[in-house]
Structures are given as structure tokens and as C-alpha cells.
């Protein structure tokens, strides 16, 4: 007679049977179907199934020999565990992953301008502040001579126009890489060609108007660069200091020209 198992203990018993089947499948199969059934089945014996687990709960050979019950149960091989460790990486979590912390380039403040400047690369420091030498030398000549020298003033205007064009081109180059924090939008690209346009105007205008145009161009470019998202704090600090020096020297030249 068929003995019904207790559904409340089915899951716990099923787990124990899985472990037993994995350790010794032959012994488990024999205990489930009995020796006579095992010998009678031959090579066409059905695979270990959940029906065998029901038999073990009921005991011995008490499982009815019905193909319907065997076909309706899930084979035990579906529960097999691969003993070999997998070398494939674990799937990534589907939830929101926090972005890696990035140095906030917008933490620039005038109060820590020299502190931020310590992080500047040495080549940028050397070439950046070295660019003040021509401005300083040409303005010094005008102040020393205390008179208007057209060649010296034009040399200063031409050099200032060159540097102002370079400052505008830096924004264009910054927006081109795909990984850049600034997109090549209309605003960024139009800004990048504005300093070269002001520099060209400085070359064709009269001396005083040219110096005023350059002073405006450097101040305008520095204001937008300092408020730009993506530039590191050391770059903003250096831009502030360099622009202050350039504008101050150009103002001295302007006053010297007026005298």
C-alpha cells in the first residue's frame, strides 16, 4: 500500500535527500526502488526523480510502479550542483551604483588660491608664469624711458593678442574629448573663438583702443574660465594670478601711452 508523506516536512526532507544522492547515487537509487526494481530496470532505468524521494519517505519498495507518477516529477539531476568553481565574474548589481568620488574642481576659492596652486604640474607652472616675462619687460621699458615708443607698444599688443588667442583655443581643445566634463556645445565653442576675435581687433585698432580691448578680453576670458565646470582648482588659481598680472601690466602701459 502507498504511504502518503507529510507535506509540512517535504522541503526539509528533500534537502537531506539531495545531499545523500550526491554522495552515493547508487545506494540512494537502491533504497528508493529496492533491489528487485533496480535489477529489473536495466539500462533503461529512469533517472533519479522526486518520486524516489517520496518513496524513501514512505519506505522501501512501497512506491507504486506507475509511469504517470514518475513522469510528473522533476528529475533529481535538475538539482545537481557543479563542484567546479566558475571563473566567470559575478553579475553586476542592477541597482543604482554610487559614482566614484571625483575631486571637485569647483571648490576653487580666492582664500585658498595659493593652496590650490600647489597641485599644479611643474611644466604648467613654469610655462604659465614664464609667459609674464615679455609683458613685464616691455612695460618696464616704457616706464623706464617715460615716453611713448611705438615699436615697444606694438610688440606688447602683438604678444598680448597671441596669448589671448591661446587662452580661447584652450576651451575648444578641452571640449573635444568624449570624456570631457564640458560638451562641445554652442556656448563653449562660441566662447572659444571670442578671445581670438578680440585679439584680432587689438591688432587693427589704434594703440589706446587696442590696449583696452586686450584688457577686456583677458578679464572676460578669466571670468568664464574660473566659473567653468571641469577645470581643476589649480588651473583656476593659475588663471586668476596670471590674468591679474597681465591686466595690471597692460594698464601700466596704457597710462604710459596716455602721458
Amino acid at each position: 500500500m502507498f504511504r502518503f508523506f507529510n507535506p509540512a516536512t517535504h522541503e526539509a526532507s528533500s534537502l537531506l535527500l539531495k545531499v545523500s544522492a550526491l554522495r552515493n547515487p547508487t545506494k540512494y537509487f537502491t533504497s528508493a526502488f529496492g533491489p528487485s526494481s533496480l535489477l529489473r530496470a536495466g539500462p533503461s532505468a529512469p533517472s533519479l526523480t522526486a518520486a524516489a524521494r517520496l518513496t524513501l519517505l514512505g519506505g522501501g519498495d512501497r512506491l507504486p510502479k506507475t509511469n504517470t507518477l514518475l513522469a510528473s516529477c522533476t528529475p533529481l539531476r535538475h538539482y545537481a550542483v557543479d563542484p567546479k568553481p566558475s571563473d566567470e565574474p559575478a553579475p553586476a548589481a542592477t541597482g543604482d551604483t554610487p559614482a566614484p568620488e571625483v575631486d571637485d574642481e569647483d571648490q576653487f576659492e580666492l582664500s585658498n588660491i595659493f593652496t590650490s596652486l600647489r597641485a599644479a604640474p611643474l611644466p604648467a607652472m613654469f610655462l604659465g608664469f614664464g609667459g609674464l616675462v615679455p609683458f613685464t619687460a616691455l612695460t618696464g621699458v616704457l616706464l623706464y624711458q617715460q615716453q611713448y615708443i611705438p615699436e615697444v607698444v606694438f610688440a606688447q599688443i602683438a604678444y598680448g593678442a597671441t596669448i589671448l588667442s591661446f587662452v580661447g583655443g584652450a576651451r575648444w581643445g578641452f571640449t573635444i574629448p568624449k570624456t570631457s566634463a564640458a560638451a562641445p556645445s554652442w556656448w563653449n565653442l562660441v566662447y572659444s573663438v571670442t578671445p581670438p576675435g578680440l585679439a584680432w581687433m587689438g591688432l587693427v585698432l589704434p594703440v589706446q583702443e587696442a590696449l583696452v580691448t586686450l584688457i577686456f578680453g583677458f578679464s572676460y576670458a578669466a571670468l568664464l574660465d574660473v566659473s567653468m565646470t571641469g577645470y581643476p582648482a589649480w588651473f583656476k588659481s593659475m588663471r586668476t594670478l596670471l590674468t591679474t598680472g597681465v591686466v595690471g601690466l597692460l594698464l601700466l602701459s596704457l597710462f604710459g601711452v596716455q602721458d
Side-chain angles (χ1 to χ4, degrees):
M1 175 168 301
F2 182 78
R3 179 182 299 177
F4 291 97
F5 68 98
N6 187 358
T9 61
H10 173 62
E11 293 298 329
S13 301
S14 174
L15 180 59
L16 295 176
L17 292 174
K18 292 176 189 177
V19 176
S20 175
L22 289 175
R23 291 182 175 178
N24 196 335
T26 303
K27 179 180 179 180
Y28 173 74
F29 189 88
T30 305
S31 63
F33 291 94
S36 58
S37 177
L38 179 61
L39 295 174
R40 184 171 58 254
S44 61
S47 59
L48 297 179
T49 63
R53 298 196 300 272
L54 298 179
T55 305
L56 186 60
L57 291 174
D61 272 326
R62 299 176 183 179
L63 178 69
K65 308 300 188 294
T66 58
N67 294 331
T68 304
L69 181 59
L70 292 175
S72 64
C73 298
T74 303
L76 186 62
R77 63 177 177 270
H78 289 180
Y79 299 96
V81 179
D82 186 6
K84 298 182 180 179
S86 176
D87 295 334
E88 298 181 358
T94 57
D96 295 337
T97 303
E101 295 183 2
V102 180
D103 184 20
D104 188 5
E105 68 278 355
D106 293 327
Q107 291 181 352
F108 166 75
E109 295 179 0
L110 290 176
S111 58
N112 61 356
I113 185 171
F114 293 102
T115 303
S116 302
L117 197 62
R118 296 176 182 175
L122 184 59
M125 291 277 289
F126 181 81
L127 296 175
F129 287 96
L132 290 177
V133 174
F135 286 109
T136 305
L138 294 172
T139 302
V141 170
L142 292 177
L143 295 178
Y144 179 78
Q145 295 294 333
Q146 295 184 355
Q147 62 179 347
Y148 171 65
I149 304 175
E151 295 80 8
V152 175
V153 175
F154 179 75
Q156 189 173 49
I157 292 174
Y159 179 72
T162 303
I163 298 300
L164 186 57
S165 298
F166 168 77
V167 169
R171 174 71 69 93
W172 184 290
F174 181 75
T175 61
I176 296 304
K178 293 182 179 180
T179 57
S180 175
S185 60
W186 277 101
W187 166 255
N188 286 324
L189 297 185
V190 168
Y191 157 73
S192 67
V193 300
T194 300
L198 294 174
W200 172 76
M201 291 176 59
L203 293 174
V204 300
L205 290 174
V207 173
Q208 293 185 357
E209 286 78 1
L211 290 172
V212 172
T213 301
L214 292 179
I215 291 171
F216 171 76
F218 279 108
S219 303
Y220 168 77
L223 179 63
L224 292 186
D225 283 345
V226 169
S227 60
M228 171 72 174
T229 300
Y231 286 150
W234 66 262
F235 179 79
K236 296 180 180 182
S237 299
M238 190 168 67
R239 287 284 289 115
T240 302
L241 293 175
L242 292 176
T243 301
T244 302
V246 170
V247 170
L249 293 170
L250 290 177
L251 285 173
L252 290 177
S253 298
L254 179 62
F255 294 148
V257 169
Q258 289 178 350
D259 294 338

